[in-house]
Amino acid sequence: FSQNYGDHFKKVADSLYFMSDFSKSSFYYEKAMDYFLAESNWVKYFKCSSFIGFNYCEMGNLDKAEKYITDAINKSYKINNEENLQSADLITILGIVYDLKGNYDKALFNYNQSLKTLLKLSSGNNSDIAGLYNNIGLSYINKGDFELAESYIRKSLDVNFNFAEIDSEKLGDCYNNLGIIFWSTEEYNKSLSFFEKSLAVRKTIYSYNHPSISVLYNNMGLIYKALNNYRNAIEHYTLSLNLRIEKLGMNHPDLIQN
């Protein structure tokens, strides 16, 4: 009975995440964790921990995310006393934290450590494996190795398309990252095509003002500017800015800085 309450709170937390209410989402993940702890349901307990860490990333609290996830990884090892899928998930989130901090070598180390565990303990056609290939690709984008980045992101797509049910969130991320690659290599029409694909996918799963939507509008604005289509560039910059103002408020540091 108590586990049903945990599942209920987790579903609420998941919904709040997709509505971009990251603080409330973490609150309900923590409530769910209390019930999963009482049941010793470590799979769901540490899954909630992963999402809380990711919420800290979304809110820009990277130091807090790093500490929270590192503590959760240590706790996972103490409980399981060996490699496990829950620790692999947490290590992936830690890689994301390092990516966002600009420490791409540390990010790649964590992604590869997690990938090694997943390949050892789970099926090769696994949604988390698809996500890791994409994350590794993104790190190589940030390091400027676009050829290697593209190879990993296309690996992610291959794994994703082997699912009976495609993971739309990871599919949208792959399309976005391919768009970034082709923008970086000045293949602007290819880039725009992948950004449009990513936008179409993300609109089906996120609220209209989710940060990933506003980022895509900004990316598309950059492409239109590069193509000297200034009217469409301004239109997409404005869409991005308005969504960010609505979500963050006029006085948010990111908006003031930009």
Side-chain angles (χ1 to χ4, degrees), residues 123-143:
S123 164
N125 288 330
N126 178 292
S127 175
D128 291 332
I129 290 173
L132 273 167
Y133 283 140
N134 185 60
N135 289 349
I136 291 170
L138 182 58
S139 289
Y140 281 119
I141 288 174
N142 291 327
K143 287 171 69 73

Side-chain angles (χ1 to χ4, degrees), residues 150-235:
E150 184 180 354
S151 71
Y152 273 100
I153 293 168
R154 292 199 181 277
K155 275 186 183 181
S156 178
L157 284 174
D158 288 342
V159 173
N160 204 357
F161 282 127
N162 281 330
F163 299 152
E165 184 175 343
I166 291 174
D167 187 323
S168 295
E169 187 174 10
K170 290 180 175 62
L171 182 63
D173 290 344
C174 284
Y175 286 149
N176 177 68
N177 291 341
L178 286 171
I180 293 171
I181 288 171
F182 291 121
W183 174 74
S184 301
T185 57
E186 300 183 0
E187 298 173 81
Y188 297 125
N189 288 318
K190 275 188 180 180
S191 176
L192 184 60
S193 174
F194 279 112
F195 284 145
E196 288 171 342
K197 286 182 177 182
S198 181
L199 181 63
V201 171
R202 286 179 172 178
K203 279 183 173 181
T204 68
I205 55 176
Y206 295 128
S207 61
Y208 75 95
N209 63 347
H210 192 275
S212 65
I213 301 290
S214 62
V215 166
L216 272 169
Y217 281 132
N218 185 72
N219 290 349
M220 293 167 74
L222 291 169
I223 297 300
Y224 281 121
K225 181 182 178 184
L227 292 170
N228 298 321
N229 188 335
Y230 298 114
R231 177 174 294 181
N232 275 346
I234 291 171
E235 177 187 345

Side-chain angles (χ1 to χ4, degrees), residues 58-60 241 244 248-258:
E58 292 282 14
M59 292 186 288
L241 180 61
R244 294 177 74 194
L248 301 175
M250 284 291 294
N251 296 321
H252 192 275
D254 286 353
L255 294 173
I256 295 171
Q257 182 178 359
N258 291 332

Side-chain angles (χ1 to χ4, degrees), residues 50-112:
S50 295
F51 283 126
I52 290 173
F54 199 72
N55 279 340
Y56 282 132
C57 291
E58 292 282 14
M59 292 186 288
N61 297 331
L62 299 181
D63 289 337
K64 199 166 186 178
E66 182 180 356
K67 183 180 186 309
Y68 184 89
I69 293 298
T70 300
D71 289 345
I73 291 169
N74 291 334
K75 186 172 185 178
S76 174
Y77 280 136
K78 284 181 182 178
I79 291 168
N80 293 285
N81 201 30
E82 60 183 2
E83 285 182 316
N84 59 85
L85 294 177
Q86 292 74 56
S87 64
D89 193 27
L90 291 163
I91 291 167
T92 297
I93 303 298
L94 187 59
I96 291 171
V97 173
Y98 287 129
D99 242 338
L100 292 171
K101 283 188 164 190
N103 193 333
Y104 307 125
D105 289 330
K106 269 193 174 182
L108 284 167
F109 174 82
N110 280 274
Y111 292 149
N112 282 302

Side-chain angles (χ1 to χ4, degrees), residues 26-46:
S26 291
F27 172 79
Y28 281 100
Y29 281 130
E30 287 173 350
K31 290 180 75 69
M33 287 170 71
D34 290 338
Y35 289 97
F36 296 143
L37 177 62
E39 297 285 335
S40 297
N41 189 331
W42 302 118
V43 172
K44 291 183 178 180
Y45 179 89
F46 287 113

